[in-house]
Amino acid sequence: MSAKIAASLIGQRRYWPMLVAQSLGAFNDNFFRYALVTIVTFQSVSLFGLDADLLVPIAASAFTLPIFLFSAIAGRVADKFDRTKMMRFAKFAEIWLMLIAAAGFVLREPLLLIITLFFMGVQSAFFAPAKNSALPTLLEPHELVPGNAMISGMLNISVLIGIGFGTVMITRKFGPEIVGGGLVGMAILGWLAIRQLPPAPASNPEMPLTFNFVWEIVRVLRSTIGHPEVLRPLLGAAWFWMLAASVVTLIPNFARSVLGTDETAVLLFSALFTFGAATGAILCGALAGKGDALPFSVAGAIGLVVFNLDVALITWNHPPIPADAALIPGMEFVSDPANRRLLIDLVLAAVSAGLFVVPLQAMAQRRAPAEMRGRLLAAGGLINAATATLGQFTLAALALLGLPLQSAFLYIAGISLIVAIVAFIRMLKLRGTSPSPS
């Protein structure tokens, strides 16, 4: 049933422009970020004398910090104004940001690129609550799980393609120019797509605006705490985004310093993770039916424990790779039978992540009251950014403390175990107290 619903949505104007715009935006984010990560990690581009172990998490935090700071205000804007107009404005702003990013790559100015990352985070902070609050307006309640699954699956595929192009193109002749042109072109296409979306009217147009982002963060969080039925799935989804941000940041240094592989292996590992996450999301959407699909979240959390723990165990005794060591090409690493268990773990951990997050996103959208849906779902973006930033600082702390990179996988497994237990207990309570999926 859900597979048929998803297929029917693809051709509808109330859905496909969001799908395309979100996918192109995800491509651009990762095209940009991985091009930057690649030149920092493999081409010795530095800023203020910082090495890659610290500069890469700093760059990632430059993207997530503004999402934390401005998501609350963005949620208020999403409740006050038409969500479609808000998304159009955000995608138009992306064009100008990509022009600045193109200049940063051509000039090889890492400071300009990190500043641009910050403003990309601002743009994302305003796009996300508009999209999330528009979905329950434009879709029927039974369409939310498959609709979210399709967006999540396509997002992961776009992430994969962006990672691939960012990693490979920046190292080619005229790479900075190619990356810059691609960023601008994708931003223009995303803006043209979102212009086709029909209106998604405001739910509270009389509400006053505020630009005190600190107070608005406090107010939105307080409102969200007052709606625990919305807060619970938002907290669960936040763990997924913390995991994703940590993996994106971890993979380049893990490939280089632990496995001794080159930048082509970074592309392959990232491909495995994003392909797996897309598969998990699409499977959830196809199999969930019209319920809340919470059992898929429980299964996904358990998978995150098992497979991340195994990655840490497999690689724990690997000796550090010297800086001047010859690196193994990605295809050679993948073709070695001794590495198959590690590769399977990476894929299944990603499938588990995709299964985990989709039901929680749909659950939060369905439960949020219409009159303050934008603000409550923006709180999700705020919490996501906070946890993603925490993930970046955790990785930086591992580097400063001299702990092995494999410790990050133990950390992921440990938190996932807590999440799995909480989700399982919650599922039992829902099944025991109410026949309603919401």
Side-chain angles (χ1 to χ4, degrees):
M1 176 64 74
S2 290
K4 292 181 180 179
I5 295 171
S8 70
L9 287 174
I10 292 175
Q12 298 190 38
R13 189 166 166 250
R14 64 192 174 102
Y15 180 74
W16 74 259
M18 265 190 300
L19 179 67
V20 172
Q22 172 77 66
S23 299
L24 292 174
F27 170 87
N28 255 8
D29 287 347
N30 289 276
F31 190 28
F32 182 120
R33 292 162 67 183
Y34 262 77
L36 176 57
V37 165
T38 299
I39 62 174
V40 168
T41 304
F42 294 100
Q43 296 186 2
S44 301
V45 171
S46 182
L47 177 66
F48 305 135
L50 298 174
D51 61 21
D53 285 349
L54 291 176
L55 185 54
V56 171
I58 288 171
S61 297
F63 181 80
T64 56
L65 178 62
I67 298 176
F68 175 80
L69 293 177
F70 300 113
S71 284
I73 289 177
R76 179 170 282 261
V77 174
D79 281 336
K80 182 174 178 62
F81 298 104
D82 185 288
R83 286 80 182 253
T84 295
K85 290 182 179 179
M86 189 172 167
M87 285 187 278
R88 289 175 183 172
F89 181 82
K91 297 303 289 185
F92 185 70
E94 184 182 334
I95 298 173
W96 292 97
L97 290 175
M98 293 306 96
L99 286 168
I100 298 172
F105 279 114
V106 171
L107 298 174
R108 292 180 70 85
E109 286 289 346
L111 181 59
L112 181 59
L113 292 172
I114 290 175
I115 291 172
T116 306
L117 269 179
F118 179 87
F119 285 102
M120 285 175 66
V122 175
Q123 184 260 352
S124 294
F126 281 85
F127 183 86
K131 179 207 71 179
N132 288 330
S133 58
L135 276 169
T137 302
L138 297 172
L139 303 185
E140 297 298 325
H142 69 276
E143 294 173 328
L144 283 176
V145 169
N148 275 280
M150 186 66 66
I151 286 177
S152 184
M154 288 301 298
L155 183 147
N156 281 287
I157 293 170
S158 299
V159 166
L160 169 58
I161 298 171
I163 288 171
F165 275 84
T167 303
V168 173
M169 291 300 176
I170 195 65
T171 61
R172 298 293 186 263
K173 186 178 181 181
F174 302 114
E177 290 80 7
I178 294 171
V179 170
L183 289 170
V184 175
M186 293 299 105
I188 292 172
L189 290 176
W191 175 67
L192 292 174
I194 204 65
R195 286 178 59 84
Q196 309 309 310
L197 190 70
S203 60
N204 197 350
E206 305 303 320
M207 178 180 55
L209 283 179
T210 177
F211 297 99
N212 185 338
F213 64 87
V214 175
W215 170 241
E216 192 61 22
I217 288 172
V218 173
R219 182 157 46 190
V220 164
L221 289 177
R222 190 166 61 192
S223 297
T224 309
I225 292 171
H227 290 78
E229 73 283 1
V230 179
L231 178 61
R232 284 189 292 267
L234 291 180
L235 289 174
W239 168 237
F240 169 83
W241 293 111
M242 181 177 180
L243 167 67
S246 297
V247 169
V248 165
T249 305
L250 177 65
I251 282 179
N253 286 335
F254 181 72
R256 168 66 182 82
S257 302
V258 175
L259 303 178
T261 54
D262 65 10
E263 64 269 23
T264 62
V266 174
L267 173 58
L268 289 170
F269 297 153
S270 301
L272 290 173
F273 184 84
T274 51
F275 174 78
T279 301
I282 292 170
L283 277 175
C284 180
L287 300 175
K290 295 185 178 182
D292 61 18
L294 188 57
F296 288 92
S297 289
V298 175
I302 294 171
L304 288 171
V305 176
V306 173
F307 300 118
N308 281 291
L309 180 60
D310 200 41
V311 170
L313 293 176
I314 292 170
T315 60
W316 192 261
N317 292 323
H318 282 206
I321 305 299
D324 58 350
L327 300 179
I328 303 171
M331 288 307 299
E332 181 179 334
F333 183 89
V334 170
S335 62
D336 186 346
N339 298 319
R340 286 177 185 168
R341 179 176 158 191
L342 173 64
L343 298 173
I344 291 171
D345 280 337
L346 289 174
V347 172
L348 293 180
V351 172
S352 300
L355 287 171
F356 174 74
V357 72
V358 169
L360 301 176
Q361 292 171 329
M363 195 183 301
Q365 291 166 357
R366 186 187 299 121
R367 293 175 174 182
E371 67 276 7
M372 59 184 310
R373 183 176 289 140
R375 281 163 288 170
L376 291 177
L377 297 180
L382 191 156
I383 298 168
N384 293 345
T387 54
T389 302
L390 177 61
Q392 313 299 341
F393 282 115
T394 300
L395 296 180
L398 292 176
L400 290 172
L401 293 172
L403 296 174
L405 282 173
Q406 297 93 317
S407 302
F409 292 98
L410 292 178
Y411 166 74
I412 290 170
I415 301 298
S416 296
L417 178 60
I418 297 172
V419 172
I421 293 171
V422 171
F424 182 70
I425 293 172
R426 186 62 192 165
M427 182 183 70
L428 293 179
K429 287 184 177 179
L430 285 176
R431 295 296 181 268
T433 59
S434 173
S436 170
S438 63

